[in-house]
Amino acid sequence: MKFFVYGNLDYGLKKSGYDTRFRTGHYDGKGRVGEWILFQNQVNGDRMGAAVFTTGPYIEMVLSPGTPMTPTVEDGVLTWRVPLGEGAVPHLALEDCGYYVRWIFDHPERANGIDLGVAVDHIAYADLAAAFENVTGHPAQYIDTDLDTYFRDGPLGRIADAPAGYNADPNDKSTMNVRDNFTGFWNLWKHGVVERDYALLDEIHPNRIRSAEWFRREDQRGRALGKAACGRGFNWRTGLRSSRPVRI
């Protein structure tokens, strides 16, 4: 093996100075492995190249069912009720991932030992709602929500007290439940713990997606397929979650 790329997530607990408010099991677990790989690369990089590809919440998740930020339709208004405050989420578009990873493999002399953190942008959800409304003509809104309300009424409410890992033992003291895990998850974005080098991303991928105007690309793609759709997730007449595209 000449070059190894590891799909990574931010080690938020460490980046926050080990503040337990930001402990997020699935992020910290991957982040620890990514850090170990980069440590090994410091002494073994001349024998086998390695890089970590650090992603984050996909922007597709903002319209998909069963995600931490799944919205609802309230009186005809697409509504995101999440505990984000005035923070912003470094969302990533799936279609950009392949380009970045290909760049890593095509430029091993530069990518060897790199932690390439990628995102579209740090997107505030008021801006997300405005972009959706601008593209689709459907009203949208973001309502900041406290954590207790979010875990009672939000998209993770039914599983809030279940173990975050499907095969985890709830009696194991190291097991996090969904509530604790995603409290850390939202705190990462609310308090701006995670950063990205957008100048580097512009250099690597000049045609990358750069904002919540991603909705326009989805709309255009849907229309080209004859679906007149922007994303997935809701029936506008009933306001119920669905796996079908949103008709616009």
Side-chain angles (χ1 to χ4, degrees):
M1 184 178 295
K2 295 183 178 181
F3 203 97
F4 177 78
V5 178
Y6 175 72
N8 192 47
L9 291 171
D10 291 275
Y11 189 176
L13 182 63
K14 184 173 183 177
K15 289 183 177 181
S16 71
Y18 297 99
D19 185 331
T20 55
R21 292 179 299 161
F22 304 99
R23 183 181 175 221
T24 308
H26 66 293
Y27 270 65
D28 298 335
K30 295 209 70 149
R32 287 187 178 100
V33 174
E35 183 180 74
W36 182 86
I37 289 170
L38 293 182
F39 281 156
Q40 299 305 308
N41 179 261
Q42 292 177 9
V43 295
N44 293 316
D46 58 334
R47 292 189 291 173
M48 185 188 78
V52 298
F53 177 59
T54 302
T55 61
Y58 301 117
I59 196 167
E60 288 80 1
M61 295 167 66
V62 305
L63 287 179
S64 299
T67 79
M69 58 280 296
T70 298
T72 54
V73 178
E74 301 179 11
D75 297 323
V77 180
L78 187 67
T79 303
W80 286 277
R81 291 182 178 268
V82 294
L84 184 58
E86 296 183 1
V89 181
H91 278 296
L92 167 69
L94 280 167
E95 67 183 270
D96 282 344
C97 289
Y99 188 101
Y100 288 123
V101 174
R102 180 59 187 261
W103 178 89
I104 290 173
F105 282 116
D106 285 348
H107 299 83
E109 71 291 339
R110 185 175 178 187
N112 191 17
I114 198 174
D115 178 357
L116 183 61
V118 297
V120 166
D121 193 10
H122 278 64
I123 300 176
Y125 271 38
D127 295 337
L128 186 77
F132 182 89
E133 189 167 321
N134 181 50
V135 169
T136 69
H138 285 291
Q141 63 182 340
Y142 156 60
I143 298 176
D144 184 32
T145 305
D146 66 85
L147 286 163
D148 288 340
T149 302
Y150 172 78
F151 284 113
R152 184 185 68 235
D153 302 330
L156 301 179
R158 289 184 294 179
I159 59 170
D161 296 318
Y166 73 93
N167 61 345
D169 180 358
N171 296 315
D172 186 329
K173 292 181 179 179
S174 65
T175 295
M176 299 185 74
N177 63 24
V178 170
R179 182 191 309 271
D180 291 341
N181 186 77
F182 284 95
T183 292
F185 174 90
W186 284 110
N187 281 338
L188 287 174
W189 323 131
K190 183 175 183 177
H191 297 282
V193 171
V194 172
E195 298 179 349
R196 293 288 184 259
D197 185 346
Y198 290 110
L200 175 61
L201 298 182
D202 287 343
E203 177 189 347
I204 292 172
H205 189 0
N207 296 318
R208 72 183 185 85
I209 301 170
R210 289 181 168 82
S211 74
E213 284 295 302
W214 166 84
F215 287 125
R216 191 171 303 282
R217 296 170 71 108
E218 288 298 289
D219 180 41
Q220 293 169 347
R221 181 181 290 114
R223 292 180 186 278
L225 294 173
K227 296 181 179 180
C230 180
R232 297 176 181 273
F234 296 91
N235 181 311
W236 283 96
R237 288 176 295 180
T238 65
L240 297 176
R241 294 173 189 162
S242 167
S243 61
R244 297 177 181 176
V246 177
R247 306 296 298 183
I248 63 171

